Amino acid sequence: QLVESGGGLVKPGGSLRLSCAASGFTFSDYYISWIRQSPGRGLEWISYISGASTTYFYADSVKGRFTISRDNAENSLYLQMSSLRAEDTAVYYCARGAPRYMDVWGRGTTVTVSS
Amino acid sequence: EIVMTQSPATLSVSPGESATLSCRASQSVGSNLAWYQQKPGQAPRLLIYGASTRATGIPARFSGSGSGTEFTLTISTLQSEDSAVYYCQQYNNWPPLTFGGGTKVEIK
């Protein structure tokens, strides 16, 4: 399973680091994605990273502001978010699988960007 | 970027009937299409991948078809627990992976 944490309320321009803890599978064998969902933008894939951290991609909407990383020894995935904007307000999910379908999802963590 | 368009936005179906959901891609995605089910307050759950292969544990009443740009998710013998929003997602041309806007299935 996957369990996200680290969400909260942050002011515009601020930073936040999300975490995703994995269990029940060999974490290092899988690409993992971050996907977010907001009422206005639906489901939006924002980033993924390969098992060995050698490959990663970002959506244009977050490129240059968000950084994905992982620690396979800790079975953990991270998303460092900076220069946050109101439109980054969403539920953030980590999900196993990319660049294909995602077969295991966490329950999500909520990020609210507001002054 | 491939744009995924789902229709209808909302579908109201009686228990025991079938529901047919459509997903259209702005360009061919081959068979690289997945369907997800999302209930309120829950994460999406993978139903179908490869356009027609059911994910582990998914009941046989869920079936997917199509290729190229036109895809269909059929839910036969609809049950009350099938009330949810259904999303399609392409993984043929990436990045980015893209999702449709969803179809809400309501049970009459």
Side-chain angles (χ1 to χ4, degrees):
Chain A
Q1 69 172 18
L2 298 168
V3 180
E4 303 89 341
S5 61
L9 175 64
V10 60
K11 289 181 168 54
S15 298
L16 207 58
R17 189 194 197 205
L18 305 184
S19 299
C20 170
S23 61
F25 64 96
T26 305
F27 183 65
S28 59
D29 284 351
Y30 292 88
Y31 279 67
I32 308 288
S33 293
W34 284 103
I35 296 150
R36 66 186 180 185
Q37 185 173 32
S38 61
R41 302 179 68 150
L43 285 166
E44 179 187 15
W45 167 84
I46 56 174
S47 183
Y48 64 69
I49 187 168
S50 64
S53 302
T54 52
T55 302
Y56 45 87
F57 289 100
Y58 299 95
D60 288 346
S61 58
V62 306
K63 198 173 295 183
R65 301 187 299 122
F66 289 13
T67 302
I68 192 170
S69 62
R70 64 192 294 164
D71 183 340
N72 288 340
E74 295 294 325
N75 288 336
S76 293
L77 173 78
Y78 305 101
L79 186 69
Q80 178 67 47
M81 305 185 295
S82 61
S83 302
L84 283 161
R85 308 165 180 166
E87 55 264 36
D88 295 319
T89 294
V91 177
Y92 285 73
Y93 297 100
C94 58
R96 188 178 78 173
R100 53 173 180 80
Y101 51 90
M102 276 66 74
D103 61 352
V104 178
W105 294 63
R107 297 179 66 91
T109 187
T110 300
V111 173
T112 304
V113 184
S114 175
S115 54
Chain B
E1 172 178 327
I2 296 180
V3 177
M4 308 300 292
T5 303
Q6 291 186 242
S7 62
T10 304
L11 193 56
S12 186
V13 185
S14 298
E17 294 185 341
S18 292
T20 301
L21 289 65
S22 295
C23 175
R24 175 176 294 178
S26 60
Q27 60 185 272
S28 177
V29 299
S31 295
N32 295 313
L33 184 109
W35 289 95
Y36 301 87
Q37 176 194 65
Q38 186 178 33
K39 297 181 178 180
Q42 297 184 17
R45 176 176 72 145
L46 178 68
L47 295 176
I48 301 283
Y49 62 91
S52 61
T53 302
R54 277 188 301 277
T56 302
I58 302 303
R61 66 178 183 276
F62 291 92
S63 63
S65 63
S67 66
T69 62
E70 301 283 343
F71 300 87
T72 300
L73 175 69
T74 302
I75 312 171
S76 60
T77 318
L78 209 71
Q79 301 183 8
S80 58
E81 69 214 50
D82 299 332
S83 178
V85 180
Y86 293 82
Y87 295 95
C88 60
Q89 176 233 324
Q90 70 82 22
Y91 51 97
N92 190 66
N93 286 36
W94 49 267
L97 303 168
T98 50
F99 294 85
T103 291
K104 184 177 183 179
V105 173
E106 298 178 338
I107 310 299
K108 285 182 183 176

